[in-house]
Amino acid sequence: DGGSDGVALALTPPGERRLSPPEPALLAALLCAALFPQVAIASAPQQPKRVKENTQQEKPKFRIRDAANGEPVKVKMHPSSVFSSDLGLSSPYFAYQELVSTTQLYIRDVTPVPPLALVLFGGTLEKE
């Protein structure tokens, strides 16, 4: 069944043709619309000009906007998130489900969202 967990098959009425799975970009856009303004901005770490062989690559830095005053706040991706070990950025924007405060602020249940999805479904645009 191509890696399906059977949910789509179970939800398809008998005798009807099952639709193909939705595109990942569409799902990311829908998540962006549902979770906005819960969006984090990632910035790739600056790499030294010469990288030593056994040097650990630094993880991206994440910021969110404080709901009260709009100021940027540094956060980290929660270790239980699927993308926590991913050092590459497919998009600089991530929609997140939950903001957790333990020893530090963490974002959890994150999904990269394309910039176009953020522009289309992310609320009003304001000039800074």
Side-chain angles (χ1 to χ4, degrees):
D1 198 295
S4 172
D5 60 3
V7 173
L9 183 62
L11 295 176
T12 305
E16 285 191 23
R17 190 173 149 245
R18 191 170 60 129
L19 299 175
S20 61
E23 292 293 319
L26 175 61
L27 291 176
L30 291 172
L31 282 171
C32 180
L35 296 174
F36 189 83
Q38 294 171 206
V39 175
I41 301 169
S43 58
Q46 293 191 359
Q47 297 297 324
K49 291 184 181 180
R50 287 203 272 170
V51 179
K52 296 179 183 174
E53 283 184 29
N54 295 331
T55 305
Q56 277 276 0
Q57 187 177 357
E58 198 175 336
K59 290 186 177 186
K61 308 280 186 218
F62 293 92
R63 292 175 289 124
I64 62 170
R65 290 219 180 260
D66 187 313
N69 59 18
E71 294 295 317
V73 176
K74 291 180 183 179
V75 296
K76 290 191 174 188
M77 192 174 306
H78 196 274
S80 68
S81 292
V82 173
F83 286 102
S84 68
S85 61
D86 191 6
L87 299 175
L89 295 174
S90 60
S91 172
Y93 305 104
F94 288 79
Y96 63 92
Q97 172 68 32
E98 190 174 16
L99 182 63
V100 180
S101 179
T102 57
T103 56
Q104 352 184 20
L105 277 176
Y106 288 101
I107 52 175
R108 197 158 63 181
D109 303 330
V110 299
T111 300
V113 291
L116 182 60
L118 196 57
V119 169
L120 293 174
F121 303 111
T124 58
L125 295 174
E126 294 178 12
K127 183 179 178 183
E128 288 188 0

